Amino acid sequence: MFELACPNCGSKVPFISKSSLFAVCPNCKSSSIRKDMDLETYGKVSELQDDSSPLQIGTTGKYLNNSFSIIGRIQLKYELGFWNEWYFIDDKGNAGWIGEAMGQFMVTRLKKIDNPEKLQFGVDLDRKYSSYLVNKTTNQPIFAGDAIAINKKEWIIKEITVATCVSGEGELPFKFDSGYTAVFADLSDYSDNFATLDFSEEPPLLFTGDMTDFDSLNFQNLKDPRFSEKLAGKEPKSISCTSCGAPLVINFPQFTNTVSCQYCGSVLDTTNPELKILSQFKLKEKYTPILPLGAKCNLYNQEYTVLGYMRRKTLVDKITYSWEEYLLYNPKGYIWLNCNEGHWMVFKTIKGIPVVNSTVSRPTASYHKDKYLLFTSGDGEVDYAIGEFYWRIKKGDKADLQDYVSPPLMLSLEKTPSEIIWTRGEYLEKEVVKNAFLMQSPLPDGKGIAPSQPNPHQKTWKRNWKIAVLSFVAAIIFQIGYCNHSANQKVFNKEYTFLKSAGDKSFVSEGFHLDGKEKNVSIEVESRQLNNNYIYFAIALINSKTDVALDTGIELSYYHGVDDGESWSEGSTKEFIIIEDVEEGDYYLRIEPESDVASSLRYEVTVVRDTPRYTPFILFLIFIFPPIFVSLFKYKNFESDRLQNSDYANSYSSSYDDSDDEDE
């Protein structure tokens, strides 16, 4: 570090980085340009405004194993309040910026734009084309959500805003003037990377990096050691409504920009010392939130406070649908708790941009390897609000909405011309909400099926399917083993002729031997000469030694013909029967045939010892698969009912099943 004398007051102006070219005297607030080892007066900066930032010149930290020290700041003001850009030097001498706005932190570094003269976009501060950004070739406006290319890389515009420089302090890499106004565009990509385009210069400056949080930066030497207590809401601010005089409490002054009076509906600007009235909600009836303002809850092991309550509505087929949104705040950020027809979901902003595929019949959005299906699209309008909010809320605020579902998760896109917000939500059972808020009374039951409500039949049918598959594989292995160990030995085979004219048609066969103890015997009869006839055989398997007979019968019938030009057939020329548990020994057959043939018929008799059996295997399959079909039917029926509230009420996609399988 070295020090140079302020050319205005003579005080020492410290410099930590040799690359710093501009500095603000901490004593007289004069701005100076460094020329070698001397300072030249440039002007005088305005006073910094109190923005409740915990950071200051000299604050240190560590991010991604790199230590850094803050040496300068530019303070800007935009629609939602103050925004700081803190200039830092890391332990390797590299410079960077920490953007701080609304409790969020962005760590970026300046990146060179290749061929900046070829950039296809520019600034239109007069908004001649309804946007601050415009395509320089076509003069078409560029809005949030549009894609732009920088250095052959595609970025998606998340927010377009205009900010005015309030002041600055410390040492900086460039000169600045208080009061200048510039357009800024926040960008993101499909890999959660973050970038900002600063149009205060021509060509614009590109800063790339990523979004993070307060804890991840491991700050030390903060401006206020009690900052954590203030963030925890232990120093609320009491005010009076400038419209009706009712007492109001701002729980988190450093976060809140507007407060909507719950008594008269007036929306007050809390960044204005006079609490200017911005708008007013005028309703014939007031809504009482299920979760009161100021209520605390514990979700995901974090304590949150209910700051704001908002009702939104949309019009579909001339029918108005409404839902409730609760703004919950925690020192580490905010989340939204939504209630729609008694169904609860918790939403949190995501860093990146999902990949949307709109070329298919039902568009999808993919984020972090999860695929979501478009459920509904439309617009949402603010109908009523009370409590604290971080933006200037007013009645009638509208945004285009798209909801993509992969139960129990949802990706939600909220889009205006100047901003897009992607959030990821998770369905919460009402008992989870009740326990999180330590509520004594039960919450109302949900009506119908929510877009991301878990399918209660999903686990059952997947379990049944897995059990069936494992059982089927085991049965196949058992059947193969059983067949391999079956002798399947042909012990007798002979051809006979049935004579219609014969008197006594019964006869006995030659003898044969059956090996093995108590194994089955298959008796098969085949007659290829059957032609619109039948033949029946009364058969007895007789033990030659004991004369014990096992009686059975087999009938062959085969008929065919042509009716109305269509040929048909029924029956078979071959049949068999299996006799179980036949003991070892010498046997013969007594056969007594009977047929309606006119004269004669040839047939063949075959006896097989220990033939493989398939009936138990087939019966087993019949037993294990019905539960699958029943549970699958219930699962599909639930999904079909779910879609009745979507943009795809008359369709059903199995992509839910595919995404579920991927998750497993």
Side-chain angles (χ1 to χ4, degrees), residues 598-664:
S599 56
S600 64
L601 185 69
R602 298 184 64 83
Y603 59 92
E604 182 181 11
V605 178
T606 303
V607 179
V608 178
R609 176 63 159 172
D610 193 18
T611 184
R613 295 295 309 278
Y614 297 95
T615 303
F617 176 71
I618 295 173
L619 292 175
F620 178 75
L621 295 184
I622 294 175
F623 171 77
I624 65 172
F625 279 103
I628 296 178
F629 298 136
V630 172
S631 56
L632 181 58
F633 172 78
K634 292 180 178 179
Y635 174 83
K636 298 285 187 179
N637 192 57
F638 186 92
E639 293 301 333
S640 179
D641 290 343
R642 182 203 304 276
L643 285 180
Q644 298 311 305
N645 295 321
S646 75
D647 295 343
Y648 304 88
N650 297 320
S651 67
Y652 176 76
S653 171
S654 62
S655 298
Y656 287 129
D657 309 337
D658 299 338
S659 60
D660 291 336
D661 294 339
E662 291 172 3
D663 293 341
E664 293 177 2

Side-chain angles (χ1 to χ4, degrees), residues 172 215 308 348 363 413 418 468 478:
L172 297 163
D215 290 342
K348 187 175 183 180
L413 170 63
S418 61
F478 177 81

Side-chain angles (χ1 to χ4, degrees), residues 496-505 593 597-601 603:
Y496 298 96
T497 300
F498 170 81
L499 295 175
K500 184 73 172 179
S501 59
D504 186 4
K505 299 179 179 63
V597 296
S599 56
S600 64
L601 185 69
Y603 59 92

Side-chain angles (χ1 to χ4, degrees), residues 482 486-489 519-522 576 578 608-614:
Y482 171 70
S486 297
N488 202 28
Q489 179 187 12
K519 294 184 178 180
N520 67 48
V521 173
S522 172
F576 71 93
I578 294 177
V608 178
R609 176 63 159 172
D610 193 18
T611 184
R613 295 295 309 278
Y614 297 95

Side-chain angles (χ1 to χ4, degrees), residues 94-271:
N94 299 316
W97 295 86
I98 298 176
E100 177 200 9
M102 302 305 301
Q104 295 181 318
F105 294 85
M106 292 71 69
V107 181
T108 61
R109 297 179 190 271
L110 181 64
K111 188 174 181 64
K112 179 183 176 182
I113 297 179
D114 300 330
N115 302 315
E117 69 279 359
K118 295 183 178 181
L119 291 177
Q120 296 298 309
F121 48 85
V123 172
D124 176 23
L125 275 175
D126 296 328
R127 300 187 72 180
K128 297 178 182 177
Y129 304 98
S130 69
S131 176
Y132 288 115
L133 295 184
V134 64
N135 186 302
K136 294 190 294 186
T137 303
T138 65
N139 287 333
Q140 293 298 312
I142 298 176
F143 298 110
D146 291 343
I148 59 175
I150 307 175
N151 294 348
K152 298 181 179 180
K153 176 182 173 66
E154 183 178 84
W155 292 91
I156 306 298
I157 301 175
K158 293 189 72 173
E159 183 178 9
I160 304 171
T161 188
V162 173
T164 301
C165 179
V166 176
S167 186
E169 63 177 327
E171 55 188 285
L172 297 163
F174 49 76
K175 62 183 180 180
F176 75 94
D177 295 298
S178 296
Y180 78 84
T181 298
V183 174
F184 296 85
D186 286 344
L187 317 174
S188 190
D189 64 7
Y190 303 117
S191 301
D192 290 355
N193 296 309
F194 175 84
T196 291
L197 276 173
D198 178 354
F199 290 91
S200 62
E201 297 186 17
E202 179 61 39
L205 303 174
L206 174 66
F207 298 87
T208 62
D210 65 288
M211 298 182 68
T212 184
D213 53 46
F214 181 84
D215 290 342
S216 297
L217 292 167
N218 300 291
F219 286 122
Q220 301 292 326
N221 190 30
L222 295 173
K223 179 171 62 178
D224 186 352
R226 298 177 62 240
F227 176 70
S228 296
E229 293 183 9
K230 291 183 177 180
L231 277 182
K234 294 183 179 179
E235 294 187 3
K237 181 179 179 181
S238 297
I239 63 172
S240 296
C241 176
T242 50
S243 177
C244 68
L248 302 175
V249 175
I250 303 177
N251 291 284
F252 297 91
Q254 78 289 343
F255 176 77
T256 301
N257 273 277
T258 56
V259 60
S260 178
C261 178
Q262 58 186 306
Y263 302 100
C264 68
S266 296
V267 179
L268 311 181
D269 182 1
T270 59
T271 65

Side-chain angles (χ1 to χ4, degrees), residues 239-511:
I239 63 172
S240 296
C241 176
T242 50
S243 177
C244 68
L248 302 175
V249 175
I250 303 177
N251 291 284
F252 297 91
Q254 78 289 343
F255 176 77
T256 301
N257 273 277
T258 56
V259 60
S260 178
C261 178
Q262 58 186 306
Y263 302 100
C264 68
S266 296
V267 179
L268 311 181
D269 182 1
T270 59
T271 65
N272 186 312
E274 298 178 359
L275 299 175
K276 179 181 177 182
I277 299 175
L278 300 175
S279 61
Q280 190 169 29
F281 290 96
K282 295 181 179 180
L283 290 177
K284 295 180 181 179
E285 60 176 323
K286 294 182 179 180
Y287 298 100
T288 302
I290 298 176
L291 308 176
L293 297 180
K296 298 186 181 298
C297 70
N298 190 294
L299 284 171
Y300 305 116
N301 296 320
Q302 297 287 337
E303 184 180 271
Y304 290 92
T305 302
V306 178
L307 283 194
Y309 166 79
M310 176 171 60
R311 285 183 66 92
R312 302 176 80 179
K313 64 180 182 181
T314 187
L315 186 66
V316 180
D317 295 332
K318 299 182 180 180
I319 300 176
T320 299
Y321 298 91
S322 61
W323 66 94
E324 300 173 317
E325 299 184 6
Y326 295 85
L327 176 60
L328 310 185
Y329 184 72
N330 171 275
K332 296 182 180 180
Y334 63 88
I335 60 176
W336 288 94
L337 186 61
N338 290 9
C339 182
N340 189 353
E341 297 288 345
H343 295 279
W344 296 86
M345 288 199 68
V346 59
F347 287 89
K348 187 175 183 180
T349 304
I350 60 175
K351 295 167 66 173
I353 300 292
V355 179
V356 175
N357 181 4
S358 300
T359 63
V360 293
S361 58
R362 187 175 180 187
T364 64
S366 299
Y367 187 68
H368 287 182
K369 299 182 179 180
D370 293 327
K371 185 172 73 173
Y372 302 75
L373 294 170
L374 181 62
F375 193 82
T376 55
S377 59
D379 59 41
E381 178 182 343
V382 177
D383 189 41
Y384 179 74
I386 56 174
E388 304 172 48
F389 299 92
Y390 56 86
W391 77 98
R392 294 191 173 188
I393 191 171
K394 65 178 182 293
K395 182 178 176 62
D397 278 344
K398 280 189 175 182
D400 293 329
L401 305 177
Q402 290 183 358
D403 291 333
Y404 297 80
V405 296
S406 177
L409 303 178
M410 174 186 286
L411 280 179
S412 185
L413 170 63
E414 186 168 330
K415 183 178 180 180
T416 65
S418 61
E419 184 179 25
I420 63 169
I421 301 174
W422 279 98
T423 55
R424 180 162 56 182
E426 180 180 6
Y427 185 88
L428 296 181
E429 297 291 345
K430 66 173 186 175
E431 291 302 317
V432 175
V433 178
K434 177 178 178 294
N435 294 335
F437 283 89
L438 301 178
M439 302 174 70
Q440 300 299 319
S441 302
L443 290 170
D445 292 331
K447 298 179 181 179
I449 299 175
S452 61
Q453 181 178 352
N455 191 318
H457 308 292
Q458 176 178 313
K459 290 184 178 180
T460 302
W461 93 261
K462 284 184 175 292
R463 180 202 63 197
N464 290 347
W465 172 254
K466 289 180 180 179
I467 292 174
V469 169
L470 293 175
S471 301
F472 178 75
V473 171
I476 286 288
I477 294 173
F478 177 81
Q479 185 68 25
I480 292 174
Y482 171 70
C483 292
N484 289 336
H485 285 82
S486 297
N488 202 28
Q489 179 187 12
K490 185 185 293 186
V491 296
F492 178 82
N493 177 257
K494 191 169 182 179
E495 192 175 85
Y496 298 96
T497 300
F498 170 81
L499 295 175
K500 184 73 172 179
S501 59
D504 186 4
K505 299 179 179 63
S506 65
F507 65 93
V508 295
S509 70
E510 292 87 345

